[in-house]
Amino acid sequence: MTKHANTNAPNTEKGVYDVIILGAGASGLMCSATAAYQGLNVLVLDHAPKAAAKIRISGGGKCNFTNVNVTPEHFICQNPHFVKSALSRYPSTAFVELVERHGLAYEIRGGGKYFCAERASDLIQILRTECDWAGVQFQLNTQVKSVQYRGGEYFLNTSQGNFKAVKLVVATGALSFPKLKATGIGYDIAKQFGLNIVKTSPGLVPLTFSDKWQVRFSELSGLSMPVSVQVNGHAFTEAMLFTHKGLSGPAILQASNYWQQGQPIVLNTLPEYTEPQVFEALLALKKSGKSLPKWLNQVWPKRFTQIWLEAYPMDSVLSNITHEALQAYAKQLTHWQLFPANTAGYDKAEVTLGGVDTDAVSSKTFECKTQKNLFFIGEVLDVTGHLGGFNFQWAWASAVACGMAL
Ligand SMILES: Cc1cc2nc3c(=O)[nH]c(=O)nc-3n(C[C@H](O)[C@H](O)[C@H](O)COP(=O)(O)OP(=O)(O)OC[C@H]3O[C@@H](n4cnc5c(N)ncnc54)[C@H](O)[C@@H]3O)c2cc1C
């Protein structure tokens, strides 16, 4: 975004705007500044007392705001082509340029993840500054009672009076983290105008267990170890965290996007090794006469070794173990099959899978194909990114594409 004077004559009647953007989150702020820089009279309306609550708490308070390597393959959407246009027109380098112009200190962590060096609120301040420069108006703490379309205009009846605009952008996010004011209003508006909603479910979410493993994982709560997790043909190698109710950490959150109830997840507890390599390592242990638990303690946290050997008794010294048994050990260590009972739900989910069907929305302008001047951007759409800054990059890219088209 570059700052320039508004040239169009803005709509100045009280409560009347060129564009109302519903939702002052990541995509709403970005879209409003982009649109206001085009000279449009823009109102951002939100029921929360403050803008961008999710940015504030994201990335452990440092907001993983984008990624070096953003490709369409990092996104889940019924139409895998939908994300391509916006992502290519507003790449992560464009957002990095924006924050650099504002002097944001950032760091790039493993996997190309950009984080604020200090605090996520610095990023909110940048977006608010852009909105101020562009002349965006805000109406926070405002409950929307109804949305109507009459005579080519959108009328919003709210707890703070009536507002109308020619164009309405729905940037209300999705269902995750209701304590941060997440609601399904975006889906309700979509349905009101005849759009289809792709079934929603919690994404990037811890997995819970109800069998014997829940007790064992609870004993390990707080412990983290690297694993490779496979689910439904997708594999992720990252850290896994044990919790009181089951499993979390980046590897599990990534896997949760692809997991469905009743299905197993398969863990390689020695992600540096393949099954044949583990077999070779066990064979070498057998020959040397060294202890298996001692070796496991070198590659795993000790508390995990203890729990594992309680669950899967294995001989300490492998001298008398047959090759077949060693092969079975290698398989168990690299293909540990677990059946989660459920996810931890929307309360703990970073994102929501599913949403407004992208078939009904232009991938270039984000306008509804069947309803003039109604736009959907950000997470309310059926677009979900992997963990790593991809969800914010989608918010920025869809917002800019829409804002430019308004
Ligand atoms: C704990 C957590 C950590 C995360 N960390 C990261 C991360 O590090 N990197 C990353 O890429 N993604 C992260 N995400 C995901 C990311 O926050 C979202 O994908 C992103 O914020 C979506 O942007 P959005 O503008 O579509 O929606 P939001 O940012 O959720 O904004 C929606 C706005 O709409 C408003 N709204 C909702 N309902 C109503 C209503 N009824 N009336 C009026 N206003 C309403 C809300 O108050 C909110 O301000 C995280 C999410 C969570 C929950």
Side-chain angles (χ1 to χ4, degrees):
M1 284 183 281
T2 47
K3 195 181 169 197
H4 60 79
N6 291 348
T7 46
N8 297 354
N11 220 329
T12 50
E13 190 189 333
K14 194 173 178 305
V16 182
Y17 299 87
D18 297 320
V19 188
I20 294 175
I21 296 183
L22 192 52
S27 63
L29 294 180
M30 194 71 175
C31 186
S32 61
T34 309
Y37 278 137
Q38 314 299 314
L40 297 173
N41 182 22
V42 180
L43 176 75
V44 178
L45 200 146
D46 201 298
H47 66 162
K50 283 185 175 174
K54 281 193 185 165
I55 296 181
R56 199 175 301 276
I57 60 141
S58 64
K62 294 205 169 179
C63 185
N64 175 198
F65 56 82
T66 192
N67 196 289
V68 172
N69 176 32
V70 178
T71 68
E73 288 69 41
H74 290 107
F75 296 86
I76 302 164
C77 175
Q78 266 193 359
N79 173 3
H81 303 293
F82 181 78
V83 298
K84 290 180 179 171
S85 170
L87 291 176
S88 68
R89 283 184 292 149
Y90 194 80
S92 59
T93 47
F95 192 75
V96 173
E97 266 169 39
L98 168 70
V99 299
E100 281 179 348
R101 256 189 278 126
H102 285 262
L104 180 82
Y106 62 78
E107 56 196 32
I108 305 175
R109 298 193 195 157
K113 299 176 189 133
Y114 282 87
F115 283 84
C116 298
E118 303 282 335
R119 59 197 90 73
S121 53
D122 294 340
L123 188 61
I124 301 176
Q125 192 49 53
I126 290 173
L127 296 169
R128 287 301 299 251
T129 301
E130 287 286 338
C131 287
D132 288 348
W133 285 349
V136 174
Q137 296 173 61
F138 282 85
Q139 183 69 45
L140 302 178
N141 259 322
T142 302
Q143 311 294 328
V144 178
K145 294 180 186 163
S146 69
V147 175
Q148 287 176 3
Y149 183 65
R150 290 196 306 265
E153 287 179 312
Y154 290 90
F155 292 79
L156 272 65
N157 176 236
T158 79
S159 56
Q160 304 297 321
N162 297 324
F163 299 89
K164 71 170 180 174
V166 175
K167 297 179 180 183
L168 177 65
V169 179
V170 180
T172 46
L175 299 170
S176 309
F177 263 63
K179 70 176 176 196
L180 293 182
K181 298 278 195 182
T183 74
I185 192 173
Y187 308 142
D188 297 339
I189 296 172
K191 282 188 231 162
Q192 180 185 335
F193 290 97
L195 275 68
N196 181 40
I197 306 297
V198 175
K199 188 175 170 293
T200 59
S201 60
L204 297 178
V205 62
L207 298 175
T208 59
F209 289 78
S210 56
D211 56 11
K212 62 183 181 197
W213 288 109
Q214 194 256 312
V215 181
R216 292 196 163 113
F217 292 157
S218 153
E219 285 171 36
L220 296 173
S221 180
L223 189 76
S224 170
M225 63 187 272
V227 295
S228 201
V229 53
Q230 281 181 57
V231 60
N232 251 330
H234 298 268
F236 300 94
T237 303
E238 294 198 53
M240 175 175 83
L241 176 72
F242 296 94
T243 72
H244 282 295
K245 295 196 170 161
L247 298 173
S248 185
I252 298 300
L253 298 184
Q254 300 274 35
S256 73
N257 276 351
Y258 295 96
W259 177 77
Q260 275 162 24
Q261 209 153 17
Q263 290 181 331
I265 58 170
V266 179
L267 298 172
N268 180 351
T269 62
L270 297 163
E272 312 257 295
Y273 299 82
T274 60
E275 185 182 332
Q277 285 169 332
V278 172
F279 175 70
E280 288 304 321
L282 294 176
L283 213 53
L285 270 186
K286 176 179 161 124
K287 282 182 190 146
S288 69
K290 285 185 186 155
S291 132
L292 174 65
K294 227 176 181 174
W295 182 71
L296 290 175
N297 277 338
Q298 285 165 11
V299 288
W300 284 347
K302 282 189 181 143
R303 283 161 64 204
F304 180 70
T305 307
Q306 198 185 335
I307 295 280
W308 176 272
L309 291 175
E310 276 167 27
Y312 302 111
M314 291 176 169
D315 283 26
S316 294
V317 178
L318 305 176
S319 319
N320 297 322
I321 301 285
T322 62
H323 276 208
E324 288 70 32
L326 278 192
Q327 249 147 6
Y329 284 9
K331 181 152 188 104
Q332 185 64 51
L333 291 163
T334 54
H335 292 82
W336 182 25
Q337 185 167 286
L338 289 166
F339 285 86
N342 211 333
T343 73
Y346 288 115
D347 283 354
K348 306 267 182 209
E350 288 198 9
V351 291
T352 301
L353 293 153
V356 174
D357 193 339
T358 56
D359 278 354
V361 176
S362 156
S363 62
K364 301 217 160 35
T365 64
F366 291 85
E367 185 177 9
C368 262
K369 289 176 183 165
T370 51
Q371 175 65 33
K372 199 167 164 21
N373 289 329
L374 178 64
F375 300 77
F376 290 86
I377 56 171
E379 204 187 315
V380 71
L381 287 163
D382 167 36
V383 175
T384 306
H386 286 185
L387 194 80
F390 302 103
N391 285 293
F392 279 129
Q393 184 57 33
W394 174 245
W396 317 136
S398 58
V400 170
C402 174
M404 298 296 289
L406 286 168

